[in-house]
Amino acid sequence: MRILLTGGTGFIGSELVKQLMTHDIVLLTRNVTKARQILNHASQAHLTYIDSLDRLSDLNHIDAVINLAGEPIAGKRWSKRQKQKICDSRWNITRKITELIYASTEPPSVFISGSAVGYYGDQQEHPFDESLHVCHEEFTHHVCARWEELAMRAQSEDTRVCILRTGVVLGLNGGALKMMLPAYKFGAGAVLGSGRQYMPWIHIQDMVRGISYLLNTEHASGYFNLTAPHPVQNREFSRILAKNLKRPYLPFTPRWALALLMGEASSLLFDSIRAKPKHLTDLGFHFNYSRLEPAIKNLLHHYK
């Protein structure tokens, strides 16, 4: 299979490349030299690099597209400029891919495109799956709803579209866990606010396995929560992480302090999203890590 991959040098994408090494990958990157360095773990014989989609007039030579590109949504305050950067980095590339699929006489059979559980917004303590339809004014919903709409335009009899509503991906090479570990290692980890908010987490191995499963399951299409079957409250997450590091942790962090520090982006910490991966499990996908503690134990086993 010949796969066009965007976001292949990111946290999830670089792990996915390992999973897809039996295929030929065309990797979109702004910096080919840097991409080669980041992906030096992969067989370069199976990798081709392009620096712009403008070099392509169609996708007739591509069997599948996996679109993971996007400016990181966490880590910076959401200024007006940063919000636009977050939106443009997702929307523009997705729009261009859809246009290339339209322009193809033999289009890719599948288009797998990123999104996030931020689509749902704060759902408090209520469990839900992909059948939940929401419409609200939060920025995360605004980003994801438009992102998904642009990708779904590619859906046709020839091309199935799978939307990845991704949760908090746990791994050592990026994402939330990498940012949290130094504080927890030194006993300064903390419950965020009341800690009652649900965290829809997923182990990085299950994340890339889930994408590969959708790639190879010919009847899979629509929306998929890429989250483990058992989301946990933040206070439980903090307890398990501190316990397995054999460190103490702070039982409470004032919400107002984090809101002052992060501004509107603090919603990423406090929105309660008890998402279930019903669509994925109904297809027959089996999670290697459905419970948090075994996932944390596995990751910390490799942590130095």
Side-chain angles (χ1 to χ4, degrees):
M1 189 181 295
R2 190 167 175 82
I3 302 168
L4 173 63
L5 174 63
T6 75
T9 59
F11 169 41
I12 298 170
S14 59
E15 288 294 323
L16 182 62
V17 168
K18 298 177 187 178
Q19 187 83 10
L20 299 178
M21 275 291 88
T22 56
H23 303 284
D24 292 323
I25 300 173
V26 179
L27 192 139
L28 177 68
T29 177
R30 288 173 293 185
N31 188 324
V32 173
T33 301
K34 185 177 179 180
R36 289 184 188 275
Q37 293 172 349
I38 293 172
L39 299 175
N40 60 8
H41 61 275
S43 170
Q44 298 298 311
H46 292 278
L47 282 168
T48 303
Y49 299 88
I50 59 172
D51 58 12
S52 174
L53 288 177
D54 292 335
R55 297 184 180 276
L56 305 176
S57 57
D58 57 57
L59 297 179
N60 286 332
H61 61 298
I62 297 294
D63 301 304
V65 180
I66 303 174
N67 176 30
L68 303 177
E71 172 76 9
I73 199 166
K76 293 183 180 179
R77 289 178 70 92
W78 290 346
S79 63
K80 184 177 180 180
R81 181 177 181 181
Q82 182 63 13
K83 281 184 174 182
Q84 195 60 52
K85 190 174 183 180
I86 289 168
C87 292
D88 289 346
S89 65
R90 288 159 172 75
W91 298 349
N92 292 346
I93 197 167
T94 306
R95 182 185 295 110
K96 180 63 176 177
I97 290 170
T98 297
E99 290 172 353
L100 287 170
I101 290 174
Y102 271 129
S104 305
T105 55
E106 297 180 10
S109 61
V110 58
F111 177 25
I112 299 175
S113 191
S115 185
V117 293
Y119 167 87
Y120 300 109
D122 187 1
Q123 297 297 322
Q124 301 178 7
E125 296 187 1
H126 306 294
F128 61 88
D129 58 37
E130 296 89 348
S131 63
L132 179 67
H133 296 283
V134 299
C135 184
H136 54 82
E137 299 302 318
E138 289 185 20
F139 176 63
T140 54
H141 176 79
H142 173 65
V143 174
C144 294
R146 178 64 172 160
W147 195 8
E148 294 179 5
E149 176 195 351
L150 290 166
M152 288 303 294
R153 291 180 183 180
Q155 180 88 24
S156 72
E157 292 183 356
D158 298 313
T159 303
R160 58 187 175 90
V161 177
C162 298
I163 303 294
L164 311 174
R165 289 178 176 163
T166 304
V168 178
V169 183
L170 302 181
L172 297 179
N173 297 322
L177 186 62
K178 182 181 180 181
M179 291 189 288
M180 289 187 287
L181 275 174
Y184 275 85
K185 183 180 178 182
F186 290 102
V191 173
L192 303 176
S194 69
R196 289 195 296 268
Q197 66 275 29
Y198 275 87
M199 296 177 59
W201 63 276
I202 184 171
H203 192 296
I204 183 65
Q205 289 183 18
D206 282 333
M207 181 70 202
V208 298
R209 287 180 58 249
I211 295 172
S212 181
Y213 191 83
L214 294 174
L215 178 70
N216 294 298
T217 303
E218 294 182 358
H219 57 283
S221 66
Y223 304 92
F224 297 87
N225 291 335
L226 266 291
T227 61
H230 303 286
V232 298
Q233 291 178 307
N234 174 260
R235 58 190 176 189
E236 179 68 359
F237 184 95
S238 298
R239 184 192 68 79
I240 289 173
L241 182 55
K243 169 190 166 186
N244 283 278
L245 284 168
K246 298 181 173 59
R247 295 291 189 274
Y249 67 101
L250 303 175
F252 177 77
T253 303
R255 180 167 181 164
W256 63 264
L258 291 169
L260 186 65
L261 178 67
M262 298 177 62
E264 187 183 352
S266 64
S267 65
L268 296 173
L269 304 179
F270 295 112
D271 280 355
S272 183
I273 303 176
R274 199 176 178 183
K276 299 282 190 172
K278 184 177 186 298
H279 200 174
L280 191 57
T281 53
D282 282 352
L283 284 177
F285 180 78
H286 172 74
F287 284 82
N288 285 342
Y289 299 96
S290 62
R291 299 280 182 178
L292 180 64
E293 186 145 17
I296 292 293
K297 284 181 180 293
N298 171 264
L299 292 166
L300 293 183
H301 177 72
H302 301 285
Y303 178 62
K304 297 180 180 179

